[in-house]
Amino acid sequence: MQRRSWAEPFKIKVVEHLRMTTRAERERAIVEAGYNTFLLRSDDVYIDLLTDSGTSAMSDRQWAGMMLGDEAYAGSANFYHLESAVREFYGYKHVIPTHQGRGAEHILSRSCIKPGDFVPGNMYFTTTRVHQELAGGQFVDVIIDQAHDPGSEFAFKGNVDLDKLARLIERVGARRIPYLALHATVNMAGGQPISMANAREVSALCRRHGIKVFLDATRAVENCYFIKTREPEYADRSLAEILRELCSYTDGCTMSGKKDCLVNIGGFLAVNDDDLADAARNMVVIYEGLHTYGGLAGRDMEAMAIGIHESVQYDHMHARIGQVQYLGEIIEREGVPIVRPIGGHGIFLNALEFLPNMPREQFPAQALAAALYVDSGVRAMERGAVSAGRDPETGKNSFPQLELVRLTIPRRVYTQAHMDVTAESVVALYQQRARIVGLRFTYEPKHLRFFQARFGPVEGDRVLRDQDPP
Ligand code: F0G
């Protein structure tokens, strides 16, 4: 059959130089960073797949929008553009800008959760859960079991398990469940989507019990792409139509605009309830800024408003998810264990299968991410026990079933050749996996420890030996 490729729906207007490093330089840099890729200087990184958060390339239209920043303290024109974009594409009534997603999570958690409450969600996200806990709530995971199984091929591994949710309601009572946090394309599960059918059922069950549903809309448009391509009745619907329907099953959302909305900074909280909106507007003044800027410059809100329009274009999303799939398929072809099916925002290496002999206490995913950096200057991120932290009650390390290294693809930033270089490094490392040394903590911060923790090798002074061990 004749091959017909697709290509990115853009061409490149501005380039940013990348610094190449030697292996000796990277060996030094990773020691200085305490073997934590979050603590590397970006100057020392060649291909930066740490995160897709705030790392997108803005379009020429977004940059032009930056020049239209109305930097009035109150009532900036850009706020109204953002508000109308959110209303048009997400369909919520009230829009409250925040500096980024966790600002919205903070305000939502503090406005809705009372000490002793339970907050169910389809898998935890780090910042989301910490805000729920700081507000006195307890997170309860109600995602389907397949989400915890990296090999399950189920098409919607982000789905909520309705039985788990019903059992929680029965056990603690609906009055102690202020809301359910519904994550679109579940980050910690490997960028796995929820189906529209599941969202509809979750919403119906929650509404019957008077429990609100708030969407984590951070990567909701990516989720809509999976609905369009995997849920047959949506094949002919536009991403914008699918997004409106998805949001219609929820009472509002928290948004990190740094992902789907294609901006380097920004977020918002959107809700339908008038009283909640009042409370949130009152709180945003204390923590973020006046309710018409929420910690953002006018130009940031303009760029986010334009980014929202661009994010629902099919060609954009097809290329975005297509690039992730391209990387995943090469890695997989060489036998490297990854989370299946390939998700929306990155490739997740299964560190437990990659390094089957390394004890969990030596943080295989953390060690693998450090070794990958040393091999090629590709920066990835641990998503396993270090990210999961300690059990708030017992103080013991949590060892989630998923111990992953995330290769996260920024939007519109890297080319296919960068994906090839990345894949080759992952494959080379897999062939030398016996050389990777485990890690132990040398410094452990109290909250969200993965961001700032420092480590050292459990033996010797390097995370990647030159030769296989004897
Ligand atoms: N929700 C999800 C699903 C996220 O992935 C993130 C951030 C947030 C909320 C918080 O948003 O960073 O703007 O405050 N995820 C980034 C990541 C940090 O790398 O996955 P934020």
Side-chain angles (χ1 to χ4, degrees):
M1 203 180 69
Q2 198 190 354
R3 185 184 155 101
R4 303 301 295 246
S5 298
W6 57 269
E8 289 79 3
F10 55 81
K11 56 185 177 175
I12 296 166
K13 186 160 0 204
V14 176
V15 297
E16 178 182 337
H17 182 72
L18 292 179
R19 191 169 85 87
M20 313 279 257
T21 49
T22 63
R23 189 177 173 111
E25 285 171 325
R26 293 193 294 275
E27 297 261 11
R28 276 198 298 279
I30 200 73
V31 173
E32 266 173 44
Y35 299 87
N36 184 348
T37 52
F38 275 102
L39 300 180
L40 287 165
R41 291 167 185 246
S42 112
D43 259 358
D44 293 329
V45 172
Y46 174 36
I47 298 176
D48 202 349
L49 307 184
L50 184 73
T51 175
D52 63 333
S53 181
T55 52
S56 300
M58 292 209 295
S59 67
D60 50 357
R61 282 159 202 262
Q62 286 177 292
W63 280 108
M66 297 287 274
M67 289 306 293
L68 304 177
D70 168 6
E71 307 306 343
Y73 187 90
S76 157
N78 313 117
F79 165 74
Y80 296 102
H81 296 165
L82 173 63
E83 181 183 60
S84 80
V86 176
R87 284 183 177 159
E88 178 181 349
F89 291 100
Y90 292 83
Y92 302 116
K93 186 169 171 198
H94 302 283
V95 181
I96 297 150
T98 57
H99 76 286
Q100 57 184 76
R102 68 199 72 179
E105 292 170 347
H106 174 215
I107 290 167
L108 179 70
S109 303
R110 288 278 299 271
S111 307
C112 298
I113 301 172
K114 295 185 302 303
D117 280 351
F118 295 84
V119 189
N122 47 343
M123 203 171 265
Y124 83 100
F125 184 70
T126 53
T127 57
T128 321
R129 186 182 64 189
V130 95
H131 280 299
Q132 293 164 356
E133 289 172 355
L134 289 172
Q138 189 182 323
F139 164 78
V140 183
D141 192 358
V142 294
I143 202 165
I144 55 172
D145 288 340
Q146 288 98 313
H148 297 281
D149 172 5
S152 159
E153 290 287 338
F154 188 57
F156 292 104
K157 283 166 82 174
N159 279 356
V160 170
D161 184 326
L162 292 158
D163 291 334
K164 286 186 193 172
L165 177 59
R167 280 200 299 274
L168 176 73
I169 297 171
E170 206 176 283
R171 179 163 70 84
V172 305
R175 281 224 311 265
R176 289 170 72 194
I177 306 177
Y179 64 89
L180 174 135
L182 184 66
H183 296 267
T185 48
V186 180
N187 192 349
M188 303 301 276
Q192 302 296 332
I194 52 174
S195 69
M196 191 71 92
N198 188 250
R200 202 180 296 127
E201 286 173 338
V202 169
S203 164
L205 178 60
C206 286
R207 279 182 189 164
R208 267 206 304 285
H209 291 275
I211 298 169
K212 288 199 155 62
V213 178
F214 287 105
L215 182 68
D216 181 336
T218 299
R219 298 181 185 83
V221 189
E222 291 176 2
N223 198 117
C224 293
Y225 179 86
F226 287 114
I227 290 175
K228 183 174 170 67
T229 51
R230 294 183 186 171
E231 220 169 335
E233 49 190 296
Y234 291 93
D236 297 326
R237 304 272 291 277
S238 70
L239 292 177
E241 286 168 334
I242 297 172
L243 183 62
R244 275 297 288 259
E245 181 177 338
L246 181 65
C247 294
S248 75
Y249 298 126
T250 68
D251 299 283
C253 78
T254 53
M255 170 62 96
S256 170
K258 302 169 73 172
K259 285 81 164 175
D260 265 0
C261 304
L262 297 164
V263 285
N264 304 121
I265 192 72
F268 56 83
L269 172 66
V271 300
N272 288 333
D273 185 277
D274 298 337
D275 294 337
L276 177 56
D278 269 349
R281 273 196 203 100
N282 204 224
M283 194 174 288
V284 82
V285 204
I286 306 173
Y287 292 103
E288 304 274 319
L290 193 70
H291 59 278
T292 56
Y293 76 86
L296 297 173
R299 54 181 173 267
D300 298 328
M301 294 188 282
E302 189 65 29
M304 187 152 55
I306 297 169
I308 289 172
H309 284 261
E310 294 179 358
S311 71
V312 298
Q313 302 306 314
Y314 177 79
D315 287 352
H316 158 68
M317 200 46 84
H318 183 55
R320 191 288 185 276
I321 308 263
Q323 188 176 44
V324 174
Q325 275 168 352
Y326 175 82
L327 173 64
E329 281 161 15
I330 316 179
I331 291 178
E332 214 181 3
R333 213 178 297 140
E334 301 299 325
V336 179
I338 63 171
V339 173
R340 294 281 315 157
I342 292 168
H345 63 305
I347 298 304
F348 291 68
L349 307 177
N350 179 357
L352 294 184
E353 266 185 50
F354 202 113
L355 300 170
N357 300 323
M358 188 180 288
R360 295 294 304 263
E361 292 73 19
Q362 296 183 10
F363 306 114
Q366 189 77 32
L368 179 51
L372 180 66
Y373 170 73
V374 171
D375 183 70
S376 60
V378 169
R379 169 155 71 170
M381 181 197 290
E382 191 264 8
R383 291 276 85 151
V386 178
S387 295
R390 290 179 184 276
D391 184 304
E393 272 169 23
T394 65
K396 294 217 170 93
N397 274 317
S398 312
F399 289 111
Q401 255 168 289
L402 297 178
E403 173 78 13
L404 309 174
V405 172
R406 186 181 76 173
L407 300 163
T408 342
I409 316 299
R411 296 165 186 78
R412 311 192 291 206
V413 170
Y414 290 115
T415 66
Q416 199 154 313
H418 291 113
M419 298 299 110
D420 291 337
V421 168
T422 301
E424 286 160 20
S425 173
V426 170
V427 171
L429 203 57
Y430 186 59
Q431 284 155 1
Q432 308 162 21
R433 57 193 179 278
R435 298 181 192 173
I436 300 173
V437 180
L439 297 173
R440 61 186 163 74
F441 274 107
T442 57
Y443 163 66
E444 184 183 346
K446 186 156 172 252
H447 296 298
L448 302 177
R449 63 184 185 175
F450 56 94
F451 281 130
Q452 289 148 340
R454 302 184 69 84
F455 301 84
V458 290
E459 57 182 69
D461 55 4
R462 286 191 302 168
V463 71
L464 187 58
R465 298 187 199 93
D466 290 336
Q467 278 169 353
D468 286 349

